[in-house]
Amino acid sequence: MTDLLSATTPLTVLSAADIGSWIRLAAQAVTDHTEELTKLDAAIGDADHGTNMRRGLAAVVTALDEGEPDTPAAVLKKVAMTLVSQVGGASGPLYGTFFLRMSTAVGGVTELDAAALADAVEAGVDGIKARGRGETGEKTMLDAWCPALSALREHPSSLEEATAVAAQAAAVGREDTRGMTATKGRASYLGERSVGHLDPGAASTALILRALAQTVHDGHPGCDPGQAVR
Ligand code: ADP
Ligand code: MG
């Protein structure tokens, strides 16, 4: 992802504001892909995943616009609470639990490095597993989150590399759901007939992680290294 002409330097840590930027970019990505997510859910669910996620993340952006908290934990908690209250269906409580557990895991720190991010994502993934009584291989969002978490763990000293490989791993995980039989959530009603379709939750997770990698890669506007060094 290195771009020699880039006028910005990648982030090495995530501040509260950076987490806000990530979530705003994720909201934009989900809005841009609403139809695609809904089509995936139409094939093996009830055709609402795109609209559920778009509505939820739009409400999150509104909540952040009204007042963006100044610690990572508080931003993540606001994201969680808004998702839980705005998104119906399985994905609201699951993503809500993810961000709430992340919030608890980061505690009082003001910035997350790659290792702290991996710890927080691990807490979030454990929350999804507990809340949905799920594991990998069941054709759910966990099939994108779990490989992404393993990828994050492989690069504890570079946030840019960690988030880039995590996004890539989530995209591969999303593709891998195609061959799986759903055993959790609405798609499990279809049993073997769910094979051949991508899981919508794994697809939204891949978008959220791509937004994270992009946020880290893009860095802060105006951080041209040539100008920053005086
Ligand atoms: P609903 O299924 O209630 O209509 P959504 O369509 O918004 O909710 O979300 C569906 C997604 O939720 C699925 O594609 C899957 O990734 C995820 N999901 C459903 N149940 C579980 C579970 N028990 N564990 C993990 N993820 C789940
Ligand atoms: Mg649905």
Side-chain angles (χ1 to χ4, degrees):
M1 275 217 202
T2 310
D3 176 4
L4 290 175
L5 296 175
S6 169
T8 60
T9 42
L11 303 179
T12 55
V13 291
L14 291 167
S15 66
D18 298 327
I19 293 171
S21 301
W22 163 32
I23 299 302
R24 288 169 198 276
L25 195 60
Q28 186 58 54
V30 163
T31 298
D32 293 345
H33 291 82
T34 302
E35 216 176 299
E36 185 185 316
L37 294 172
T38 287
K39 266 192 194 152
L40 295 178
D41 199 29
I44 59 170
D46 57 355
D48 65 356
H49 189 60
T51 46
N52 277 343
M53 293 298 292
R54 182 182 60 195
R55 186 178 60 250
L57 285 165
V60 167
V61 170
T62 302
L64 293 178
D65 284 346
E66 283 165 1
E68 201 162 313
D70 58 6
T71 64
V75 173
L76 291 163
K77 189 170 180 186
K78 194 162 202 177
V79 174
M81 295 313 198
T82 309
L83 288 177
V84 169
S85 68
Q86 297 292 323
V87 183
S91 57
L94 290 166
Y95 276 121
T97 300
F98 174 84
F99 285 107
L100 197 57
R101 294 281 187 104
M102 255 192 114
S103 164
T104 306
V106 304
V109 301
T110 52
E111 293 179 328
L112 302 186
D113 61 11
L117 176 69
D119 288 344
V121 169
E122 180 163 354
V125 170
D126 285 347
I128 297 174
K129 287 180 180 173
R131 181 85 200 223
R133 296 190 182 84
E135 259 305 329
T136 50
E138 295 186 296
K139 199 181 182 94
T140 70
M141 60 175 74
L142 285 172
D143 294 305
W145 279 118
C146 291
L149 172 59
S150 304
L152 279 180
R153 286 266 176 240
E154 283 163 23
H155 298 275
S157 56
S158 165
L159 189 65
E160 188 187 21
E161 226 168 312
T163 52
V165 294
Q168 188 56 38
V172 172
R174 174 197 62 207
E175 294 306 309
D176 286 348
T177 63
R178 195 186 292 282
M180 295 177 187
T181 303
T183 55
K184 284 281 163 11
R186 226 174 258 283
S188 66
Y189 306 154
L190 291 181
E192 304 250 306
R193 280 182 294 138
S194 63
V195 175
H197 302 281
L198 296 180
D199 175 62
S204 57
T205 293
L207 289 174
I208 290 167
L209 282 162
R210 194 167 75 192
L212 176 60
Q214 189 71 50
T215 302
V216 169
H217 174 72
D218 287 353
H220 299 137
C223 286
D224 183 336
Q227 288 175 4
V229 178
R230 300 226 183 265

